[in-house]
Amino acid sequence: MSTMQNPADLTAGPTRGVGEPGDRPATRTRRDGDAPREAKPLILTVDDDPSVSRAVARDLRRRYAEDYRIVRAEAGSVALDVIKEVVLRGEQVAVLLADYRMPQMNGVEFLEAAMDLVPQARRALLTAYADTDAAIAAINVVDVDHYLLKPWEPPEEKLYPVVDEMLASWRREGRAPERKIKILGHPWSPPSYEVRDFLARNLVPYKWYNVEEPDGSRLLAAAGLGPGDVPVVVTTGGEALSKPSLTALADAVGLDTTPRGDFYDVVIVGGGPAGLGAAVYAASEGLKTVVLERSAAGGQAGQSSRIENYLGFPDGVAGSQLTDRARRQALRLGAELLTARTVSGLKAKGPAREITFDDGQTLLAHTVVLATGVSYRQLDATGADELLGRGIYYGSASTEASACAGEHVVIVGGANSAGQAAVFFSNHAAKVTLVVRGDSLERSMSAYLVEQVRARDNIEVRTGTVVEDCQGGDHLRCVTLHDRTTGTREVVDVGHLFVFIGAAPLTDWLDGEVVRDRAGFVLTGPELVVEGRRPDGWDLDRDPYLLESSLPGVFVAGDVRSASVKRVASAVGEGALAVTLVHRYLAEQ
C-alpha cells in the first residue's frame, strides 16, 4: 500500500513529507466563502523504492521547504491523482522528479501523462547508470528538461544545481495560481450560461473555461469527466460538480440556502429593491426577518448597467453595486438572505402564514411581504425558444459582454432597461440595434436615457419594428426584422439578442390564495374594497391596509403590486412602508 499523503491534505496543513514525523490529516473542510489559504507551489517526486523516495524528499526539503511543498509518491498513478487535485484547486506544480524504473507505469509514461495536466511544470527523470540511453530517448518523447543519475550524492553538486535551474525556468514561464471558482462548459450551452449568470449575479468571482479549448479540456480531464458532463463547476477546494442544480451550486460556493429558524416575524419573498428595502427596515427594527430569493438579489434592477435617476447618486450607480450595498446592509442588521430557493405556495395556518418551497420544505411567519417583482415577457418570434441561452437572452446578460466585442448586438424593448442595455453593450459591440415596437422612444423611456442612446454613433434605433424570426444551428446567427410601418422585412446577421419587453408578474403560485388582477398583479388596499364590500374570506373588522393583500398579514411591495410605479425608488419606498404596516398588523394580534 502506498504511503502517499492524501491529496486533500496537500494545501490544508504545514509542509510535510509523506511518512515524515508530524504528518497529520486535515481536520477542516474549507468552503468557498472562507478566505483561501495561499498554497506553495509543489515539487513532486515519484519513486517506488520507499528508501529512495524518502531520501529524495529529505534532500529537497532541506533546501526548498521554505518556498515549496515537497510531496512524494511511490507510484505514478498516485502521483497523477495528486496532480489532478492540485490542478483543480488552481494551484501550481513547479517540478516533477520521476524514477525511470517503476512497475505498472514507468517514469517516462508518468511524465508523458503529467504533461497533459501540468504542461508548465519542469520534468526530470531519475535513472541508474544503465538507463542513460532510456533517459536520452525520454528527452525526445516527453521533452524532459534533465535527467539525474542515482545516487546524486552530494546533493549540493549533483541535485540542487539541476533543481535550481528547473525552478528558475519555471518561474520565468509559470502561471500565477488561480484561486477562483472555475466553470467548464460549452460557450453556446444554455446550462453553462445559467451557471455563469447565477454566479455573476450573486457576485461570486469565477473563471470561465471552454472545454473545446486546451485549458478547458485539461481541467475536464483532471476532474475525470468528459464533454457530456458539462457544465462542471470546480470549487476553490478542488471539488468538481457536474451539472449542479442552482441550490447545490449555491451551497458549494458558500451562499446561504437553509433557514436558521422555522418561525419568523416576517418572511420576504423576493430579493429585489422592494424586498431588500423591506429587509433593511424590518431587521433594523428588531423583527426576525428572512428574505427568500430564487436566483440572485437585485432582481431586474440588479441587472441594470447604470441607474441614473436614483436619489443620492448624482453620477449614477450600477444596479449590481446598489444591490450589493443593500444586501450587505440587510445582512449587517440581522436579516437572513437565502438564495436559490423557489417558493411554490402560501396559505393561512391559523394565525400564522405558511410558505412552502418547491422541495416541500415549509416556513411559518406572523407576516409575509410579497416582493417577487416581474419577469420579461417571452419574445414572440419563430425559433426564439430553441435558441434561448444560445444567443438569445432575457435581461442584461453582462456575462456575455466580452463575447460581444466587435459584434452586432440586437436589443428588443423600448423602456429604461432596454435603453440601459443598449448603452452598456455599445461600449463593447461594433453595432447595437435597438428594436422598439412603439413609434418612439419617448413614449416609455426616460429622457436622460433617450439622450444617451441617440448620442451613441453605434446605436441604431428602429421604431415600429418587431423581431419576427430567429435562425441558427448551435447558436443564433440571424434575425428577421419586420417594419410594421412600411411592411418591409430585413434579415440581419447577429449573434446576440437581448430581450426587455413587457413585465409578467411571477404570481402563478398565488392562484386561489390572494386576489390578483387579470394580468396577474396582486391587488391591495382600497382596490380590494368594491362598493364598500371587503374581499371574500376577509375576517378582520377593518379594511385591508394600503399594501395589504386579500389575505390578512400578507403585504405586497414593488412591481408585483397592481398599479405600482415601476421604478427602483418607489419599490424601495413600498418595501419600507410594508414594514410599517407589518408592525401595525402585529400590534393587532
Side-chain angles (χ1 to χ4, degrees), residues 353-438:
R353 300 294 175 258
E354 183 181 68
I355 288 289
T356 303
F357 294 103
D358 59 350
D359 63 0
Q361 184 182 3
T362 60
L363 276 183
L364 291 173
H366 290 300
T367 62
V368 173
V369 175
L370 300 176
T372 52
V374 295
S375 64
Y376 294 111
R377 297 190 186 278
Q378 300 297 298
L379 181 65
D380 185 18
T382 305
D385 291 345
E386 291 78 9
L387 292 167
L388 182 62
R390 293 188 287 131
I392 296 180
Y393 309 94
Y394 286 87
S396 181
S398 59
T399 54
E400 298 299 306
S402 60
C404 296
E407 302 293 326
H408 181 198
V409 171
V410 170
I411 307 290
V412 183
N416 279 6
S417 54
Q420 290 163 351
V423 172
F424 171 74
F425 281 107
S426 70
N427 295 321
H428 302 272
K431 179 181 179 181
V432 175
T433 297
L434 183 59
V435 178
V436 183
R437 178 185 290 268

Side-chain angles (χ1 to χ4, degrees), residues 287-311:
L287 296 178
K288 187 177 181 182
T289 306
V290 62
V291 181
L292 312 177
E293 171 55 51
R294 65 173 188 162
S295 180
Q300 289 186 11
Q303 294 180 279
S304 297
S305 57
R306 197 142 197 92
I307 301 170
E308 299 199 38
N309 58 354
Y310 189 73
L311 184 66

Side-chain angles (χ1 to χ4, degrees), residues 21 45 109 113 174 227 232 272 345 384 399 457 516-517 520 568 586:
T45 73
E109 293 168 337
V232 173
T399 54
D457 293 336
R516 301 177 296 161
D517 63 19
V568 175
L586 292 175

Side-chain angles (χ1 to χ4, degrees), residues 142 203 229 284 319 435 439 495 506 524 535 550:
V142 293
L203 305 180
D229 297 312
S284 69
V435 178
D439 56 9
L506 304 172
T524 59
S550 59

